[in-house]
Amino acid sequence: MAAQETADSTHRFQMSDIKSQIRKTVRGFDRLDTRFIEPQHYVFTVMLQATHTYDIYTLRSTGHDAQSITFAPDMRLKLGPYVGWKWFFAGYTFELGNVNLARIKQQLDLSIYSSQIGVDIFYRRTGNDYKLRDARLGNNVDTAPLEGLPFSGVKAGITGFNAYYIFNHGRFSYPAAFSQSTIQKVSCGSWMAGLGYTKNSLDLDHEELQTLINTNMGASAVPLDSGLMFSKVSYNDFSLSVGYAYNWVFARNWLFAASAQAAMAYKKSVGDMVGDNKEGFDFQNVNLNAIGRFGIVYNNMRWYAGASVILHSNNYRKPRFSTNNTFGSMNMYVGYNFGLKKKYKKKNDDE
């Protein structure tokens, strides 16, 4: 009986020790130097954000008669509410001035930030309102009649996540610039390293594209290269990144931030081409991607407002086919924090 009680006591002690270690680890995610960073005083936040999105796809074939096609939609304004609780920050935006539900672009973001680590989860689906911005169909082929024409035969989507680690997390606050959850008090920078996964999908109606070319170019129309004749292609992207970020505190409660990351990405793609020969579409390779972030923020802890620009560039290359997708957003926001934390309530009472 005594042996059983001893075993139970030991088990309870081990469980208590494990829980204590977990609490210590979790709290360590937000450990910072208060000489450089002011911690968040509030538990909750609400924010309204307006977003202008940028999205451009360039498809290229290679060889003697290489061709390239570039698609991009018009830039439109999206608006949506966001809510935050501690590390979690999520929102949903929808396109304004668009009553056709089939054409609405959708974007869903979930971010988890702490002083040491960050995770961004994203889901984006375009409408079918792309326009043909540039076409190069061979030497001495005048493609001016095609530029700016609406083309509903292309759709794109992206789903994935990026996770990163901040090395100088005690003195540099990435969330201060891009999630407004802390305030950077002294200018500082940090190296970052991360990993990510992204799935890109692209649907192209090449028959509709050929019809568009024939209709608008008349006698000078040329056939599409076989490298551009596919119906759908999906890209799976596994990446490791490294970069540097800097927060410049140029006035009280004001911050300008800039960061750049380069990622070595292993990419695997499967596509459907016309004919039986799929060489150039079933490929596995490594390419260089890039992520750039820039922001300006005013934050007095209760209220905050600012703007940010985020750009991604993904590249895929093989001997017969290549594509570049550059997408990003410009965000303008205003928000309000509430629900004062207990330790700051006590501080205010003492004062």
Side-chain angles (χ1 to χ4, degrees), residues 226-285:
S226 61
L228 298 178
M229 298 175 68
F230 63 91
S231 58
K232 182 174 182 177
V233 63
S234 297
Y235 306 89
N236 294 289
D237 184 317
F238 305 87
S239 63
L240 296 174
S241 64
V242 63
Y244 188 80
Y246 190 79
N247 285 346
W248 175 36
V249 181
F250 60 90
R252 180 178 174 82
N253 296 329
W254 283 94
L255 171 68
F256 176 78
S259 72
Q261 290 175 266
M264 294 299 296
Y266 171 84
K267 307 173 192 293
K268 182 178 180 181
S269 177
V270 177
D272 299 323
M273 292 183 63
V274 172
D276 295 328
N277 182 10
K278 293 190 178 182
E279 179 184 356
F281 269 78
D282 295 333
F283 62 82
Q284 301 177 13
N285 62 356

Short mmCIF file of all heavy atoms in Angstrom, two decimals, residues 226-285:
data_model
loop_
_atom_site.label_atom_id
_atom_site.label_comp_id
_atom_site.label_asym_id
_atom_site.label_seq_id
_atom_site.Cartn_x
_atom_site.Cartn_y
_atom_site.Cartn_z
N SER A 226 3.21 24.69 -77.60
CA SER A 226 2.70 23.55 -76.83
C SER A 226 3.04 23.65 -75.35
O SER A 226 2.33 23.11 -74.50
CB SER A 226 3.25 22.24 -77.40
OG SER A 226 4.67 22.22 -77.32
N GLY A 227 4.11 24.38 -75.01
CA GLY A 227 4.48 24.54 -73.62
C GLY A 227 3.48 25.35 -72.82
O GLY A 227 3.48 25.31 -71.59
N LEU A 228 2.62 26.12 -73.52
CA LEU A 228 1.60 26.92 -72.85
C LEU A 228 0.21 26.30 -72.96
O LEU A 228 -0.76 26.90 -72.50
CB LEU A 228 1.56 28.34 -73.45
CG LEU A 228 2.84 29.17 -73.31
CD1 LEU A 228 2.67 30.52 -73.99
CD2 LEU A 228 3.21 29.34 -71.85
N MET A 229 0.13 25.11 -73.52
CA MET A 229 -1.17 24.47 -73.71
C MET A 229 -1.43 23.46 -72.60
O MET A 229 -1.17 22.27 -72.73
CB MET A 229 -1.23 23.81 -75.09
CG MET A 229 -1.08 24.81 -76.24
SD MET A 229 -1.01 24.04 -77.87
CE MET A 229 -2.68 23.41 -78.02
N PHE A 230 -1.91 23.96 -71.47
CA PHE A 230 -2.27 23.11 -70.35
C PHE A 230 -3.59 23.61 -69.77
O PHE A 230 -4.00 24.75 -70.00
CB PHE A 230 -1.18 23.11 -69.28
CG PHE A 230 -0.94 24.44 -68.64
CD1 PHE A 230 -1.61 24.81 -67.50
CD2 PHE A 230 -0.02 25.33 -69.20
CE1 PHE A 230 -1.39 26.04 -66.90
CE2 PHE A 230 0.20 26.57 -68.61
CZ PHE A 230 -0.48 26.93 -67.46
N SER A 231 -4.26 22.75 -69.04
CA SER A 231 -5.54 23.14 -68.45
C SER A 231 -5.40 23.50 -66.98
O SER A 231 -6.08 24.40 -66.48
CB SER A 231 -6.57 22.02 -68.62
OG SER A 231 -6.11 20.82 -68.01
N LYS A 232 -4.53 22.80 -66.27
CA LYS A 232 -4.37 23.07 -64.84
C LYS A 232 -2.99 22.62 -64.39
O LYS A 232 -2.49 21.59 -64.84
CB LYS A 232 -5.44 22.35 -64.01
CG LYS A 232 -5.35 22.63 -62.51
CD LYS A 232 -6.51 22.02 -61.75
CE LYS A 232 -6.43 22.37 -60.27
NZ LYS A 232 -7.58 21.84 -59.51
N VAL A 233 -2.40 23.38 -63.50
CA VAL A 233 -1.13 22.99 -62.91
C VAL A 233 -1.14 23.40 -61.44
O VAL A 233 -1.66 24.46 -61.08
CB VAL A 233 0.06 23.61 -63.66
CG1 VAL A 233 0.05 25.12 -63.56
CG2 VAL A 233 1.38 23.05 -63.16
N SER A 234 -0.64 22.53 -60.57
CA SER A 234 -0.57 22.80 -59.13
C SER A 234 0.88 22.71 -58.69
O SER A 234 1.60 21.77 -59.05
CB SER A 234 -1.41 21.79 -58.34
OG SER A 234 -2.77 21.91 -58.68
N TYR A 235 1.30 23.68 -57.89
CA TYR A 235 2.68 23.75 -57.42
C TYR A 235 2.72 23.55 -55.91
O TYR A 235 2.03 24.25 -55.18
CB TYR A 235 3.31 25.10 -57.75
CG TYR A 235 3.23 25.50 -59.19
CD1 TYR A 235 2.13 26.21 -59.67
CD2 TYR A 235 4.26 25.18 -60.07
CE1 TYR A 235 2.05 26.58 -61.00
CE2 TYR A 235 4.18 25.55 -61.40
CZ TYR A 235 3.09 26.25 -61.86
OH TYR A 235 3.01 26.63 -63.17
N ASN A 236 3.51 22.62 -55.45
CA ASN A 236 3.76 22.44 -54.02
C ASN A 236 5.15 22.95 -53.70
O ASN A 236 6.13 22.54 -54.33
CB ASN A 236 3.64 20.96 -53.64
CG ASN A 236 2.22 20.45 -53.81
OD1 ASN A 236 1.34 20.80 -53.04
ND2 ASN A 236 1.99 19.64 -54.83
N ASP A 237 5.23 23.84 -52.77
CA ASP A 237 6.46 24.59 -52.50
C ASP A 237 6.86 24.39 -51.04
O ASP A 237 6.11 24.75 -50.13
CB ASP A 237 6.18 26.07 -52.80
CG ASP A 237 7.40 26.96 -52.64
OD1 ASP A 237 8.14 26.78 -51.66
OD2 ASP A 237 7.58 27.84 -53.48
N PHE A 238 8.05 23.83 -50.82
CA PHE A 238 8.61 23.65 -49.47
C PHE A 238 9.85 24.52 -49.39
O PHE A 238 10.79 24.34 -50.18
CB PHE A 238 8.95 22.19 -49.21
CG PHE A 238 7.80 21.24 -49.41
CD1 PHE A 238 7.54 20.71 -50.66
CD2 PHE A 238 6.97 20.89 -48.36
CE1 PHE A 238 6.48 19.84 -50.86
CE2 PHE A 238 5.91 20.02 -48.53
CZ PHE A 238 5.66 19.50 -49.80
N SER A 239 9.90 25.44 -48.43
CA SER A 239 10.98 26.43 -48.45
C SER A 239 11.64 26.60 -47.09
O SER A 239 11.02 26.43 -46.05
CB SER A 239 10.45 27.78 -48.93
OG SER A 239 9.47 28.27 -48.05
N LEU A 240 12.92 26.97 -47.14
CA LEU A 240 13.69 27.40 -45.99
C LEU A 240 14.19 28.80 -46.28
O LEU A 240 14.75 29.06 -47.35
CB LEU A 240 14.87 26.46 -45.74
CG LEU A 240 14.54 25.01 -45.35
CD1 LEU A 240 15.82 24.18 -45.28
CD2 LEU A 240 13.80 24.97 -44.02
N SER A 241 13.98 29.72 -45.35
CA SER A 241 14.30 31.12 -45.61
C SER A 241 15.22 31.70 -44.56
O SER A 241 15.29 31.23 -43.42
CB SER A 241 13.01 31.95 -45.69
OG SER A 241 12.35 31.94 -44.44
N VAL A 242 15.90 32.76 -44.94
CA VAL A 242 16.72 33.54 -44.03
C VAL A 242 16.57 35.01 -44.43
O VAL A 242 16.41 35.33 -45.62
CB VAL A 242 18.20 33.10 -44.06
CG1 VAL A 242 18.82 33.35 -45.43
CG2 VAL A 242 18.99 33.81 -42.98
N GLY A 243 16.58 35.90 -43.45
CA GLY A 243 16.42 37.30 -43.78
C GLY A 243 16.79 38.20 -42.63
O GLY A 243 17.22 37.75 -41.56
N TYR A 244 16.62 39.50 -42.86
CA TYR A 244 16.95 40.50 -41.84
C TYR A 244 15.83 41.53 -41.79
O TYR A 244 15.25 41.90 -42.82
CB TYR A 244 18.27 41.19 -42.18
CG TYR A 244 18.77 42.10 -41.06
CD1 TYR A 244 19.42 41.56 -39.95
CD2 TYR A 244 18.55 43.47 -41.11
CE1 TYR A 244 19.87 42.38 -38.92
CE2 TYR A 244 19.00 44.30 -40.08
CZ TYR A 244 19.65 43.74 -38.99
OH TYR A 244 20.09 44.56 -37.97
N ALA A 245 15.52 41.99 -40.58
CA ALA A 245 14.48 42.99 -40.38
C ALA A 245 15.00 44.09 -39.47
O ALA A 245 15.83 43.85 -38.58
CB ALA A 245 13.23 42.36 -39.77
N TYR A 246 14.51 45.30 -39.70
CA TYR A 246 14.94 46.44 -38.88
C TYR A 246 13.74 47.32 -38.57
O TYR A 246 12.94 47.65 -39.45
CB TYR A 246 16.00 47.26 -39.61
CG TYR A 246 16.66 48.30 -38.72
CD1 TYR A 246 17.65 47.93 -37.82
CD2 TYR A 246 16.27 49.64 -38.77
CE1 TYR A 246 18.25 48.87 -36.99
CE2 TYR A 246 16.86 50.59 -37.95
CZ TYR A 246 17.85 50.19 -37.05
OH TYR A 246 18.45 51.12 -36.23
N ASN A 247 13.63 47.72 -37.30
CA ASN A 247 12.62 48.67 -36.83
C ASN A 247 13.28 50.00 -36.50
O ASN A 247 14.17 50.06 -35.64
CB ASN A 247 11.91 48.14 -35.58
CG ASN A 247 10.93 47.03 -35.89
OD1 ASN A 247 10.56 46.82 -37.05
ND2 ASN A 247 10.49 46.32 -34.87
N TRP A 248 12.85 51.05 -37.18
CA TRP A 248 13.38 52.40 -36.95
C TRP A 248 12.33 53.22 -36.21
O TRP A 248 11.27 53.52 -36.75
CB TRP A 248 13.75 53.05 -38.28
CG TRP A 248 14.20 54.49 -38.14
CD1 TRP A 248 14.94 55.03 -37.12
CD2 TRP A 248 13.93 55.55 -39.05
NE1 TRP A 248 15.16 56.36 -37.34
CE2 TRP A 248 14.56 56.71 -38.53
CE3 TRP A 248 13.25 55.63 -40.26
CZ2 TRP A 248 14.50 57.94 -39.17
CZ3 TRP A 248 13.19 56.85 -40.90
CH2 TRP A 248 13.81 58.00 -40.36
N VAL A 249 12.63 53.58 -34.97
CA VAL A 249 11.74 54.43 -34.17
C VAL A 249 12.18 55.87 -34.41
O VAL A 249 13.16 56.34 -33.83
CB VAL A 249 11.83 54.06 -32.67
CG1 VAL A 249 10.88 54.94 -31.86
CG2 VAL A 249 11.50 52.59 -32.47
N PHE A 250 11.44 56.57 -35.28
CA PHE A 250 11.88 57.92 -35.68
C PHE A 250 11.19 59.03 -34.89
O PHE A 250 11.55 60.20 -35.02
CB PHE A 250 11.67 58.13 -37.18
CG PHE A 250 10.25 58.00 -37.64
CD1 PHE A 250 9.40 59.09 -37.67
CD2 PHE A 250 9.75 56.76 -38.05
CE1 PHE A 250 8.10 58.98 -38.11
CE2 PHE A 250 8.44 56.63 -38.49
CZ PHE A 250 7.61 57.74 -38.52
N ALA A 251 10.18 58.67 -34.08
CA ALA A 251 9.52 59.64 -33.19
C ALA A 251 8.74 58.85 -32.15
O ALA A 251 8.54 57.64 -32.29
CB ALA A 251 8.58 60.56 -33.99
N ARG A 252 8.31 59.51 -31.10
CA ARG A 252 7.57 58.84 -30.04
C ARG A 252 6.31 58.17 -30.59
O ARG A 252 5.50 58.81 -31.26
CB ARG A 252 7.20 59.83 -28.94
CG ARG A 252 6.42 59.21 -27.78
CD ARG A 252 6.11 60.24 -26.70
NE ARG A 252 5.24 59.72 -25.66
CZ ARG A 252 5.65 58.98 -24.64
NH1 ARG A 252 6.94 58.69 -24.51
NH2 ARG A 252 4.80 58.52 -23.75
N ASN A 253 6.17 56.89 -30.33
CA ASN A 253 5.03 56.06 -30.76
C ASN A 253 5.00 55.79 -32.27
O ASN A 253 4.04 55.20 -32.76
CB ASN A 253 3.69 56.67 -30.33
CG ASN A 253 3.53 56.73 -28.83
OD1 ASN A 253 4.06 55.89 -28.10
ND2 ASN A 253 2.82 57.75 -28.34
N TRP A 254 6.02 56.23 -33.00
CA TRP A 254 6.08 56.01 -34.44
C TRP A 254 7.16 54.99 -34.79
O TRP A 254 8.22 54.95 -34.16
CB TRP A 254 6.37 57.31 -35.17
CG TRP A 254 5.19 58.23 -35.29
CD1 TRP A 254 4.86 59.26 -34.46
CD2 TRP A 254 4.18 58.21 -36.31
NE1 TRP A 254 3.72 59.88 -34.88
CE2 TRP A 254 3.27 59.25 -36.03
CE3 TRP A 254 3.98 57.41 -37.44
CZ2 TRP A 254 2.17 59.51 -36.83
CZ3 TRP A 254 2.87 57.68 -38.24
CH2 TRP A 254 1.98 58.71 -37.93
N LEU A 255 6.89 54.20 -35.83
CA LEU A 255 7.82 53.13 -36.22
C LEU A 255 7.79 52.95 -37.73
O LEU A 255 6.71 52.90 -38.34
CB LEU A 255 7.43 51.82 -35.54
CG LEU A 255 8.16 50.55 -35.99
CD1 LEU A 255 9.62 50.62 -35.58
CD2 LEU A 255 7.49 49.31 -35.42
N PHE A 256 8.97 52.85 -38.33
CA PHE A 256 9.10 52.41 -39.73
C PHE A 256 9.85 51.10 -39.75
O PHE A 256 10.92 50.98 -39.13
CB PHE A 256 9.82 53.44 -40.59
CG PHE A 256 10.04 52.97 -42.01
CD1 PHE A 256 9.00 53.01 -42.92
CD2 PHE A 256 11.27 52.46 -42.41
CE1 PHE A 256 9.18 52.56 -44.22
CE2 PHE A 256 11.47 52.01 -43.70
CZ PHE A 256 10.42 52.06 -44.61
N ALA A 257 9.31 50.10 -40.43
CA ALA A 257 9.91 48.76 -40.44
C ALA A 257 10.17 48.30 -41.87
O ALA A 257 9.40 48.60 -42.79
CB ALA A 257 8.98 47.77 -39.74
N ALA A 258 11.25 47.54 -42.03
CA ALA A 258 11.57 46.93 -43.32
C ALA A 258 12.21 45.58 -43.07
O ALA A 258 13.04 45.42 -42.17
CB ALA A 258 12.50 47.83 -44.14
N SER A 259 11.81 44.59 -43.86
CA SER A 259 12.42 43.28 -43.76
C SER A 259 12.47 42.61 -45.12
O SER A 259 11.62 42.88 -45.99
CB SER A 259 11.66 42.38 -42.77
OG SER A 259 10.42 41.98 -43.30
N ALA A 260 13.46 41.75 -45.32
CA ALA A 260 13.60 41.01 -46.57
C ALA A 260 14.06 39.60 -46.25
O ALA A 260 14.94 39.39 -45.40
CB ALA A 260 14.60 41.69 -47.50
N GLN A 261 13.43 38.63 -46.90
CA GLN A 261 13.80 37.22 -46.73
C GLN A 261 13.99 36.58 -48.10
O GLN A 261 13.19 36.79 -49.01
CB GLN A 261 12.70 36.46 -45.98
CG GLN A 261 12.56 36.83 -44.52
CD GLN A 261 11.37 36.12 -43.89
OE1 GLN A 261 10.28 36.67 -43.83
NE2 GLN A 261 11.59 34.90 -43.43
N ALA A 262 15.05 35.81 -48.22
CA ALA A 262 15.28 34.99 -49.41
C ALA A 262 15.08 33.54 -49.02
O ALA A 262 15.56 33.10 -47.97
CB ALA A 262 16.69 35.21 -49.95
N ALA A 263 14.37 32.79 -49.85
CA ALA A 263 14.03 31.41 -49.52
C ALA A 263 14.48 30.47 -50.62
O ALA A 263 14.21 30.70 -51.80
CB ALA A 263 12.52 31.27 -49.31
N MET A 264 15.19 29.43 -50.20
CA MET A 264 15.50 28.33 -51.12
C MET A 264 14.32 27.37 -51.06
O MET A 264 14.01 26.82 -50.00
CB MET A 264 16.79 27.63 -50.71
CG MET A 264 18.02 28.50 -50.85
SD MET A 264 18.31 29.04 -52.56
CE MET A 264 18.63 27.45 -53.35
N ALA A 265 13.64 27.19 -52.18
CA ALA A 265 12.39 26.44 -52.19
C ALA A 265 12.51 25.20 -53.08
O ALA A 265 12.94 25.27 -54.23
CB ALA A 265 11.26 27.32 -52.68
N TYR A 266 12.12 24.08 -52.50
CA TYR A 266 11.98 22.83 -53.25
C TYR A 266 10.56 22.77 -53.77
O TYR A 266 9.61 22.86 -53.00
CB TYR A 266 12.27 21.64 -52.36
CG TYR A 266 11.94 20.30 -52.98
CD1 TYR A 266 12.86 19.67 -53.81
CD2 TYR A 266 10.72 19.68 -52.73
CE1 TYR A 266 12.56 18.43 -54.38
CE2 TYR A 266 10.41 18.46 -53.30
CZ TYR A 266 11.33 17.85 -54.13
OH TYR A 266 11.03 16.63 -54.70
N LYS A 267 10.41 22.64 -55.07
CA LYS A 267 9.09 22.73 -55.68
C LYS A 267 8.77 21.45 -56.46
O LYS A 267 9.62 20.90 -57.15
CB LYS A 267 9.01 23.93 -56.63
CG LYS A 267 9.43 25.23 -55.98
CD LYS A 267 9.50 26.35 -56.99
CE LYS A 267 10.17 27.57 -56.41
NZ LYS A 267 9.42 28.22 -55.35
N LYS A 268 7.52 21.03 -56.31
CA LYS A 268 7.04 19.87 -57.06
C LYS A 268 5.75 20.27 -57.74
O LYS A 268 4.85 20.80 -57.11
CB LYS A 268 6.80 18.69 -56.12
CG LYS A 268 6.35 17.43 -56.85
CD LYS A 268 6.17 16.28 -55.89
CE LYS A 268 5.72 15.02 -56.62
NZ LYS A 268 5.52 13.88 -55.67
N SER A 269 5.65 20.00 -59.04
CA SER A 269 4.48 20.43 -59.78
C SER A 269 3.95 19.31 -60.64
O SER A 269 4.71 18.51 -61.20
CB SER A 269 4.85 21.62 -60.67
OG SER A 269 3.75 22.02 -61.44
N VAL A 270 2.62 19.27 -60.75
CA VAL A 270 1.96 18.31 -61.64
C VAL A 270 0.98 19.09 -62.49
O VAL A 270 0.14 19.83 -61.97
CB VAL A 270 1.20 17.23 -60.84
CG1 VAL A 270 0.47 16.29 -61.80
CG2 VAL A 270 2.17 16.45 -59.96
N GLY A 271 1.07 18.95 -63.82
CA GLY A 271 0.19 19.70 -64.69
C GLY A 271 -0.43 18.83 -65.75
O GLY A 271 0.06 17.75 -66.06
N ASP A 272 -1.50 19.32 -66.33
CA ASP A 272 -2.20 18.63 -67.41
C ASP A 272 -1.93 19.38 -68.71
O ASP A 272 -2.34 20.53 -68.86
CB ASP A 272 -3.71 18.59 -67.16
CG ASP A 272 -4.04 17.84 -65.87
OD1 ASP A 272 -3.34 16.84 -65.60
OD2 ASP A 272 -4.97 18.26 -65.17
N MET A 273 -1.26 18.73 -69.65
CA MET A 273 -0.95 19.34 -70.93
C MET A 273 -1.72 18.64 -72.03
O MET A 273 -2.18 17.51 -71.89
CB MET A 273 0.56 19.24 -71.23
CG MET A 273 1.44 20.07 -70.33
SD MET A 273 3.17 19.98 -70.79
CE MET A 273 3.13 20.70 -72.42
N VAL A 274 -1.84 19.33 -73.14
CA VAL A 274 -2.45 18.73 -74.31
C VAL A 274 -1.50 17.68 -74.87
O VAL A 274 -0.30 17.91 -75.00
CB VAL A 274 -2.76 19.80 -75.38
CG1 VAL A 274 -3.21 19.15 -76.67
CG2 VAL A 274 -3.81 20.76 -74.85
N GLY A 275 -2.01 16.51 -75.20
CA GLY A 275 -1.16 15.45 -75.71
C GLY A 275 -0.65 14.57 -74.60
O GLY A 275 -0.94 14.77 -73.43
N ASP A 276 0.14 13.58 -74.96
CA ASP A 276 0.63 12.61 -73.99
C ASP A 276 1.95 13.01 -73.37
O ASP A 276 2.31 12.52 -72.30
CB ASP A 276 0.78 11.23 -74.65
CG ASP A 276 -0.55 10.66 -75.10
OD1 ASP A 276 -1.57 10.96 -74.43
OD2 ASP A 276 -0.57 9.95 -76.11
N ASN A 277 2.69 13.88 -74.02
CA ASN A 277 4.03 14.23 -73.54
C ASN A 277 3.91 15.31 -72.48
O ASN A 277 3.57 16.46 -72.76
CB ASN A 277 4.89 14.73 -74.71
CG ASN A 277 6.30 15.06 -74.24
OD1 ASN A 277 6.67 14.75 -73.13
ND2 ASN A 277 7.06 15.68 -75.12
N LYS A 278 4.20 14.97 -71.22
CA LYS A 278 4.11 15.94 -70.12
C LYS A 278 5.49 16.39 -69.65
O LYS A 278 5.63 16.90 -68.57
CB LYS A 278 3.32 15.33 -68.96
CG LYS A 278 1.86 15.11 -69.30
CD LYS A 278 1.07 14.73 -68.06
CE LYS A 278 -0.40 14.56 -68.37
NZ LYS A 278 -1.19 14.24 -67.17
N GLU A 279 6.48 16.19 -70.46
CA GLU A 279 7.82 16.63 -70.09
C GLU A 279 7.82 18.13 -69.85
O GLU A 279 7.30 18.91 -70.65
CB GLU A 279 8.81 16.28 -71.20
CG GLU A 279 10.23 16.72 -70.89
CD GLU A 279 11.17 16.47 -72.06
OE1 GLU A 279 10.72 15.89 -73.05
OE2 GLU A 279 12.34 16.87 -71.94
N GLY A 280 8.42 18.55 -68.78
CA GLY A 280 8.45 19.97 -68.46
C GLY A 280 7.39 20.38 -67.47
O GLY A 280 7.45 21.47 -66.94
N PHE A 281 6.43 19.50 -67.20
CA PHE A 281 5.42 19.84 -66.20
C PHE A 281 5.52 18.98 -64.96
O PHE A 281 5.18 19.42 -63.88
CB PHE A 281 4.01 19.72 -66.80
CG PHE A 281 3.54 21.01 -67.38
CD1 PHE A 281 4.00 21.42 -68.61
CD2 PHE A 281 2.68 21.83 -66.69
CE1 PHE A 281 3.58 22.61 -69.14
CE2 PHE A 281 2.26 23.03 -67.21
CZ PHE A 281 2.71 23.43 -68.45
N ASP A 282 5.95 17.76 -65.06
CA ASP A 282 6.17 16.93 -63.88
C ASP A 282 7.61 17.17 -63.43
O ASP A 282 8.52 16.46 -63.85
CB ASP A 282 5.95 15.45 -64.19
CG ASP A 282 4.51 15.17 -64.54
OD1 ASP A 282 3.64 15.91 -64.08
OD2 ASP A 282 4.27 14.21 -65.29
N PHE A 283 7.82 18.18 -62.60
CA PHE A 283 9.21 18.50 -62.26
C PHE A 283 9.39 18.72 -60.78
O PHE A 283 8.48 19.08 -60.05
CB PHE A 283 9.71 19.71 -63.06
CG PHE A 283 8.98 20.98 -62.80
CD1 PHE A 283 9.26 21.79 -61.71
CD2 PHE A 283 8.01 21.40 -63.69
CE1 PHE A 283 8.61 22.97 -61.49
CE2 PHE A 283 7.34 22.60 -63.48
CZ PHE A 283 7.64 23.38 -62.39
N GLN A 284 10.62 18.47 -60.37
CA GLN A 284 11.04 18.72 -59.00
C GLN A 284 12.35 19.49 -59.07
O GLN A 284 13.31 19.03 -59.67
CB GLN A 284 11.25 17.41 -58.24
CG GLN A 284 10.00 16.54 -58.17
CD GLN A 284 10.27 15.22 -57.47
OE1 GLN A 284 11.30 15.05 -56.85
NE2 GLN A 284 9.34 14.30 -57.59
N ASN A 285 12.38 20.66 -58.47
CA ASN A 285 13.61 21.45 -58.54
C ASN A 285 13.65 22.45 -57.39
O ASN A 285 12.77 22.52 -56.56
CB ASN A 285 13.73 22.15 -59.90
CG ASN A 285 12.60 23.14 -60.14
OD1 ASN A 285 11.68 23.25 -59.35
ND2 ASN A 285 12.68 23.85 -61.25
#
